Structure formats: C-alpha cells, structure tokens
C-alpha cells in the first residue's frame, strides 16, 4: 500500500506540474498525445505563446506553486503553413488571456506541434488547424513530430486536407481566383509604357 501510495503521489505531482518549456513535458505525454490546457499570451510568427494551466489538486498544487518557475510554451499549429492573412485572422479571433486546449502531437526545436482547440459555447469547440484551412488562410503541411507511416498521422492529415479542399472549392482566401476584369486592371496598372504615358500626361497637365 505504501508503494501504491508513492506511485499515486508521483503521478499526481506530474499531472499538476506547470510546464514552462517544451523540454519539461515528459516524453510519455507527447507519445500519448495528451491534451493540455493553457492561457494565450502572444501570437507570433513562430507560434502561440501559451502559459500552461496544470490540473489543480488540493495540498499538492499549493506546495508546487512555491517553487514553480515562470515561462511560456511555444505552441505551433501542426500540419498548417500559415498565410499572412492567417496570422491576421488569429489575432482577430483570439483574445489575450483566452483559455485554449492543445493536444500534443510532437516536439520540434523547443516548440510543441499541436492541434489547438478553443471553446465555442458550452458544448462546442473549434479546431484552429482545420478552421484556418477551411477559411483559405493557409496550406496543409507535414505534421512534424508524428511518424509519417502512423495511422494517427494519416487520420489527421486527411482531416486537414478535407478542410483545405472546402476552401479550394469555394475559392476562399488564398484560393480566390481574380475575375477577368481584375486581371485586366492589374495588367494595365503594371504596364510600364502606360505608366510612363500617364506620368507624361500628368507633367503636361501641370505645365499648362
């Protein structure tokens, strides 16, 4: 019973530990694709800077708070190559200090490759990875950290491809095709001869 008590306590300590860097997270958590909760702080070109919110357990959590260090986790949207418009969308969609969930898929270069979810109402949640692709704000990419031949890799990759295909069919975001009139207007505005002619006309008008 004493050994069992020690094992339970060790597991409780690990589950209630506040992770402040990707290297702090046990390998077993990544391999089992554990889902963690966090508070969003910043949105950067490298990813989301998130403060981990550990599970709170009476007595154990109060002791741990005294020696836990401070730091933010760098969370990247796995399988997504963000377009500039995708970054702007994230900054508009997410609020500072907002609570998010991130499911661990891999760990690369001190960053966590994750599926990121935000709550939409009491019972609904939205996967940011899929929504960005569904809105045409990015492209699918290799899911770093997962074995390319694993069932989970292809299951998630198919989900992301389906989301991207919806944007492609609806010509949304980066997949939007310019109309014929827009293409003609762009060609005219980029024509060097017409630009020179316009400058000459402006000069002539100003000299009269």
């Amino acid at each position: 019973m004493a050994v069992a008590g020690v094992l339970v306590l060790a597991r409780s300590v690990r589950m209630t530990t506040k992770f402040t860097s990707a290297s702090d997270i046990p390998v077993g958590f990544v391999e089992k694709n554990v889902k963690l909760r966090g508070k969003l702080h910043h949105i950067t070109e490298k990813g989301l800077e998130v403060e981990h919110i550990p599970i709170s357990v009476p007595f154990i959590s109060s002791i741990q708070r005294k020696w836990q260090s401070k730091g933010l986790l760098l969370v990247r949207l796995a399988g997504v190559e963000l377009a500039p418009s995708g970054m702007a969308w994230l900054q508009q969609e997410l609020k500072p200090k907002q609570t998010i969930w991130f499911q661990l898929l891999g760990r690369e270069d001190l960053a966590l490759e994750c599926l990121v979810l935000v709550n939409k109402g009491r019972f609904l949640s939205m996967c940011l990875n899929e929504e960005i692709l569904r809105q045409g704000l990015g492209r699918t990419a290799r899911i770093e950290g997962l074995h390319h031949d694993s069932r989970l890799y292809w299951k998630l990759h198919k989900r992301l491809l389906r989301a991207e295909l919806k944007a492609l069919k609806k010509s949304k975001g980066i997949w939007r095709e310019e109309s014929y009139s827009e293409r003609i207007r762009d060609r005219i505005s980029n024509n060097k001869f017409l630009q020179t002619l316009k400058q000459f006309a402006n000069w002539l008008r100003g000299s009269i």
Side-chain angles (χ1 to χ4, degrees):
M1 289 183 65
V3 173
V6 171
L7 292 175
V8 170
L9 180 61
R11 183 178 181 184
S12 299
V13 169
R14 188 170 59 176
M15 293 297 294
T16 57
T17 297
K18 183 176 181 178
F19 304 126
T20 56
S21 70
S23 58
D24 292 341
I25 299 177
V27 174
F29 277 38
V30 180
E31 291 177 346
K32 294 178 181 179
N33 308 122
V34 171
K35 188 184 295 182
L36 301 176
R37 187 165 61 113
K39 184 189 299 180
L40 178 68
H41 279 251
H42 305 105
I43 300 172
T44 71
E45 294 182 355
K46 294 182 178 180
L48 309 178
E49 294 183 353
V50 179
E51 178 185 355
H52 174 226
I53 303 175
I55 297 174
S56 181
V57 175
F59 180 70
I60 295 177
S61 297
S62 59
I63 294 176
Q64 286 180 315
R65 290 192 192 100
K66 296 179 181 179
W67 50 265
Q68 283 176 343
S69 59
K70 294 182 179 181
L72 301 176
L73 300 174
L74 181 60
V75 176
R76 292 200 291 235
L77 299 174
V80 176
E81 180 185 340
L82 267 180
S85 54
M87 176 71 68
W89 182 85
L90 282 174
Q91 292 171 341
Q92 183 178 2
E93 184 72 20
L94 301 178
K95 300 176 178 62
K97 307 298 182 182
Q98 181 174 349
T99 300
I100 65 172
W101 291 87
F102 50 104
Q103 184 176 6
L104 304 173
L105 299 179
R107 180 167 44 198
E108 295 286 333
D109 301 327
L110 298 180
L112 300 170
E113 301 289 337
C114 304
L115 286 181
V116 181
L117 301 101
V118 294
N119 291 330
K120 289 290 183 181
R122 182 176 297 181
F123 303 107
L124 299 176
S125 63
M126 176 177 68
C127 176
L128 292 181
N129 309 56
E130 290 181 273
E131 188 62 24
I132 284 173
L133 295 173
R134 198 178 292 117
Q135 296 296 331
L137 304 173
R139 292 180 172 85
T140 54
R142 177 183 173 85
I143 303 175
E144 302 295 341
L146 284 180
H147 293 294
H148 190 262
D149 56 350
S150 68
R151 290 182 61 185
L152 179 59
Y153 180 95
W154 287 107
K155 178 182 177 181
L156 295 177
H157 195 56
K158 287 178 182 177
R159 278 175 55 184
L160 298 178
L161 285 174
R162 281 196 294 265
E164 185 179 55
L165 185 60
K166 289 181 179 179
L168 182 60
K169 287 182 177 179
K170 295 181 179 179
S171 298
K172 300 180 71 173
I174 60 175
W175 308 111
R176 185 179 73 87
E177 293 184 0
E178 291 183 331
S179 64
Y180 178 76
S181 60
E182 287 175 328
R183 291 198 297 269
I184 293 298
R185 188 168 61 249
D186 289 342
R187 288 176 184 176
I188 292 174
S189 63
N190 293 329
N191 188 288
K192 292 183 179 181
F193 173 74
L194 291 176
Q195 288 176 356
T196 304
L197 190 61
K198 185 178 180 181
Q199 290 173 358
F200 176 74
N202 291 334
W203 173 82
L204 189 62
R205 191 182 299 113
S207 61
I208 296 174

